[in-house]
Amino acid sequence: MTDANPPKVQLRRKSTMGQAVEKPQDTRGTLRRLLDYFARAKRLLVALLAAVLAVTVTSLLTPALQGAVIDAIQARAWDRFGLLLGCLLAAFAGNIAVTLAQGLLSARLSQNIVRRMRYDLFRKIDNLPIAYLDRHSNGDVMSRMTNDIENISNTVSQSLGSLVSGLLTVAGTIAIMFWYCWQLTLITLVTVVLTVLVTKGMSHRMRTAYRQRADALGRLDGHAQEMISGYRTILAYNRQDAVRAEFAEISDTLTREGIRAEVLGGSMGPLMNAISSLGFVIVAAFGGYFALRGLITIGVISAFILYAKQFSRPLNEIAQLFGSVETALAGAERVFALMDQPDEDNAGTETPDHVTGNVSFRHVNFSYLPGKQVLYDFNLEVHAGQKIALVGATGSGKTTVVNLLMRFYPVDSGEILIDGQDIRTLRRDWLRHNTAIVLQDTVLFSDTIEHNIKYADPGADDARMIRAAEMSNCAPFIDRLPQTYHTFLKQAGAGLSQGQRQLLNIARALLADPRILILDEATSSVDTRTEQNIHDALVRLMKNRTSLIIAHRLSTIQDADVIVVMDKGRVVETGNHEELLQKRGAYYALYMAQFAGQKT
């Protein structure tokens, strides 16, 4: 069992009476970073803006042409009537065409942007330090890749064109209305003041609601992913009722946040419709009065009513789109928050031509969290070709030693040397290329057995792969499969036993042919016979290689050159098996307890 792992913590939230509370948001910064992605698709953006401009122009022309047609009928100017009617029909047809083009361009632009965002986010996830993923829910990270970016995609494809077109339409409509009758326009603009006040009052509440809904959705995704991956354990311990209750609690929180967000977002449309209806009453009442005074014609009143409707329609659409825009901004901020995490430390430029395999830990101190130290003044000298075993109770710091050697975490103080050179000065990829690790938790990918073994060295030929499989004793069960090495492993090897999956992991490490080999409870999931077969293969593999073995089964490390006994982050004993038994100290107690069948 992996020891001294850092605790899981939730992401960027605190709790008050069971409710998720958001931290201050940086809307301007988020918008600025989103605009950077738009700038990378300049051609599509320019084409979309051109289509939006064409939609706006045709929308503004149709009321004026309709009013002119009505005035021509009233004046019985039949010579102008035909031309104006033809222009009106052409404007309608043109509006339909450019509206379709706007939808197509919006969809292409949205997919272009989210493709770049997904790539940047995945590249960031690929470079995150182990510490970040240890402390954050996998489901929440996945939610940012899927739900949050999908919200951005929907907003760009469905809302961006309408938003820009609406703003241009409002500006153009106001200009034309002033040209027709500035007095009636000023009276009509009362609705604009009401719209601004309502939008300003609702915006902050909506932003908060959509942010909290996004956080709740991330927690639900994380919980569901964890429960699905641990389903066998849930069944084994009959914890279905407790899991359902916990899921229901998180789901109820998401439901409450979702209802609140939808109610706030949905209320904008009715409020804007009420203000729009008030605008129609104003136009009808005052327009009739101005017509009786001779200030405007009947055709102008008709056009003005259409412009008033056209003026209110974009405002309503903008208000209705406001919710989706807030959702997209909340999602974008979560995406950018992950992108802003520091990359894994890639310091170090040295790439030695030859690796002997001497490893030294000198006065190493380490803690996963401040104030909770895991290793205390840890010292260890491992000579090239030695087989070193780390033993001790769970939580003693054995796996932490491996994490530090692999540079998964940086040391707080002290140094770790390979062939006398501080690993911080070595290139990270060089270090891991010369070090292979087999963890207690098996990791296989949904791919063929061949590709899973060759994951350590994609350029390896089939002969080397088969040799690695034979040395790890997984060749016999592979040969019994219908497609042997071309067998596709679904759900990361769900059809294989735990021991078979671990054997494939060991074959992968064998193929890497490292100078330094790390086995972290590598044989804990296999039966005794298979364990003996693996032990024999590892004896051949570890010849002239430096090997570090973490094991609870003391029977597997009795032939180790040096056994290091750890307790609470400190080395308490070192020596070989016989020497440590003679000392009758910590190792002797572990050995006797284990072989007496007691819990270690």
Side-chain angles (χ1 to χ4, degrees), residues 192-484:
V192 176
V193 177
L194 291 175
T195 300
V196 171
L197 292 176
V198 170
T199 303
K200 184 177 180 180
M202 296 288 291
S203 61
H204 177 71
R205 295 182 179 180
M206 291 175 63
R207 183 179 301 113
T208 300
Y210 281 103
R211 174 67 188 196
Q212 290 176 349
R213 185 178 69 173
D215 285 343
L217 182 59
R219 295 197 299 276
L220 185 71
D221 287 344
H223 179 76
Q225 188 268 345
E226 189 175 55
M227 294 305 102
I228 292 172
S229 62
Y231 185 64
R232 292 178 183 271
T233 303
I234 294 170
L235 293 181
Y237 287 94
N238 197 29
R239 296 286 295 172
Q240 296 95 314
D241 292 339
V243 167
R244 281 195 296 267
E246 187 176 0
F247 180 85
E249 181 181 354
I250 300 174
S251 181
D252 288 345
T253 300
L254 176 60
T255 300
R256 289 193 299 271
E257 299 294 352
I259 291 174
R260 179 167 174 259
E262 293 300 327
V263 168
L264 288 173
S267 64
M268 290 295 289
L271 288 173
M272 293 301 103
N273 284 331
I275 296 173
S276 174
S277 299
L278 177 62
F280 288 146
V281 173
I282 293 174
V283 172
F286 286 92
Y289 173 75
F290 289 149
L292 292 176
R293 294 287 302 273
L295 294 176
I296 54 178
T297 64
I298 295 175
V300 170
I301 294 176
S302 173
F304 220 99
I305 291 175
L306 291 176
Y307 277 122
K309 181 179 179 181
Q310 190 163 279
F311 174 75
S312 61
R313 178 182 57 78
L315 292 179
N316 292 341
E317 290 180 352
I318 292 172
Q320 292 172 357
L321 293 174
F322 197 79
S324 61
V325 171
E326 288 295 328
T327 300
L329 288 176
E333 187 172 44
R334 283 165 48 83
V335 170
F336 292 140
L338 182 53
M339 288 185 182
D340 289 339
Q341 295 297 320
D343 288 340
E344 183 182 11
D345 180 22
N346 197 23
T349 58
E350 298 296 327
T351 57
D353 296 330
H354 178 70
V355 184
T356 303
N358 294 302
V359 178
S360 302
F361 290 81
R362 296 180 181 176
H363 306 290
V364 172
N365 293 280
F366 175 76
S367 56
Y368 289 108
L369 297 174
K372 296 183 178 181
Q373 193 164 344
V374 178
L375 291 183
Y376 299 84
D377 194 31
F378 181 79
N379 291 276
L380 179 64
E381 291 291 334
V382 184
H383 300 294
Q386 274 191 322
K387 179 180 177 181
I388 306 297
L390 301 176
V391 301
T394 298
S396 59
K398 305 184 299 296
T399 299
T400 299
V401 173
V402 172
N403 287 337
L404 298 180
L405 177 60
M406 295 293 292
R407 272 180 61 180
F408 290 156
Y409 290 85
V411 299
D412 294 342
S413 62
E415 58 183 358
I416 303 173
L417 309 175
I418 292 181
D419 294 342
Q421 192 160 356
D422 195 321
I423 62 172
R424 288 171 291 194
T425 66
L426 302 174
R427 282 181 58 91
R428 184 186 62 194
D429 54 352
W430 180 92
L431 171 65
R432 294 175 185 170
H433 176 75
N434 287 280
T435 308
I437 182 170
V438 179
L439 298 172
Q440 175 187 4
D441 298 325
T442 59
V443 178
L444 296 175
F445 301 98
S446 296
D447 206 331
T448 63
I449 289 178
E450 175 187 0
H451 289 155
N452 269 281
I453 296 177
K454 288 184 177 180
Y455 197 81
D457 186 1
D461 56 30
D462 291 346
R464 284 184 57 202
M465 175 192 67
I466 294 173
R467 176 59 177 164
E470 291 173 345
M471 291 182 67
S472 64
N473 291 308
C474 62
F477 82 80
I478 294 176
D479 291 335
R480 290 194 299 268
L481 296 173
Q483 296 177 295
T484 61

